[in-house]
Amino acid sequence: MASSTTLTALTAEQAHARLHELTVIDVRTPGEYASGHLPGAHNIPLDHLDAALPALRTVAGRGDLLVVCASGARSATACRRLAEQGVPAATLTGGTTAWTRLGHDTHRPAGARAPWAMERQVRLAAGSLVLAGLLAGQRRSAARLLSAGVAGGLVFSALTDTCGMARILAKLPHNRPAATDLDATLVALTR
């Protein structure tokens, strides 16, 4: 049964102490999840949250949900979206970064490659685009607008705590779950 207390956020220490009684949902991309996740976490990328809503509603009826991402930003977004649908969930304050900083274990799927974290992918893409804009700007000054556009996007991202580039990169094949993986996760959750 779900506890009578509605959760909103747990620190890494609180989550570690209660891990045995929580259902952990990791909303990062499959690549990020494969790089290391909380023990027992189920991967449901943020952009698949709506499809997983029936399963998450069932799980929340049995116990408390803890939603996790790298820093806590995506998991907070997921918790807000779930709350709008009447599904209570807590976010892990500081995400897996805070979890690992305290020395808590993470698990990796057997044989999983070590993909880059989304933040690193964004830095590579943004840096490459800025550099391309500056280099192309040597021949065509209008190409510098590419660098200016990326810089403006980064400022907007920081001010709004959102990242359009991460949303685009999350759609790349290595960052998407196979339909069978997501289906298996949803079946496992409802058992």
Side-chain angles (χ1 to χ4, degrees):
M1 296 297 294
S3 72
S4 59
T5 305
T6 302
L7 301 173
T8 56
L10 293 176
T11 65
E13 284 301 327
Q14 291 169 324
H16 187 261
R18 295 190 53 207
L19 193 59
H20 64 282
E21 64 187 58
L22 298 168
T23 300
V24 181
I25 305 299
D26 192 320
V27 295
R28 297 177 299 160
T29 66
E32 291 173 292
Y33 174 82
S35 70
H37 55 270
L38 272 66
H42 301 275
N43 186 220
I44 301 176
L46 184 59
D47 60 345
H48 288 79
L49 197 63
D50 293 335
L53 193 57
L56 293 173
R57 186 173 280 118
T58 299
V59 172
R62 294 190 305 235
D64 292 328
L65 287 179
L66 176 65
V67 183
V68 178
C69 68
S71 68
R74 285 178 279 178
S75 59
T77 298
C79 285
R80 281 190 299 276
R81 286 173 52 190
L82 289 170
E84 290 169 0
Q85 298 298 318
V87 178
T91 184
L92 178 63
T93 304
T96 55
T97 301
W99 181 268
T100 56
R101 193 174 327 130
L102 292 174
H104 298 313
D105 286 339
T106 58
H107 290 180
R108 288 191 174 139
R113 60 183 168 78
W116 286 7
M118 184 57 66
E119 181 184 336
R120 186 174 180 193
Q121 292 180 50
V122 168
R123 289 192 314 254
L124 175 68
S128 298
L129 289 171
V130 168
L131 187 58
L134 291 174
L135 290 174
Q138 297 289 340
R139 294 198 175 257
R140 301 188 132 250
S141 61
R144 291 186 192 130
L145 291 175
L146 175 62
S147 298
V150 171
L154 291 172
V155 170
F156 179 79
S157 175
L159 293 174
T160 62
D161 199 22
T162 62
C163 187
M165 189 175 290
R167 286 185 184 154
I168 292 168
L169 292 172
K171 295 188 183 312
L172 292 175
H174 66 278
N175 285 326
R176 311 259 327 145
T180 54
D181 294 341
L182 184 59
D183 292 342
T185 298
L186 297 178
V187 167
L189 281 171
T190 55
R191 283 189 185 149

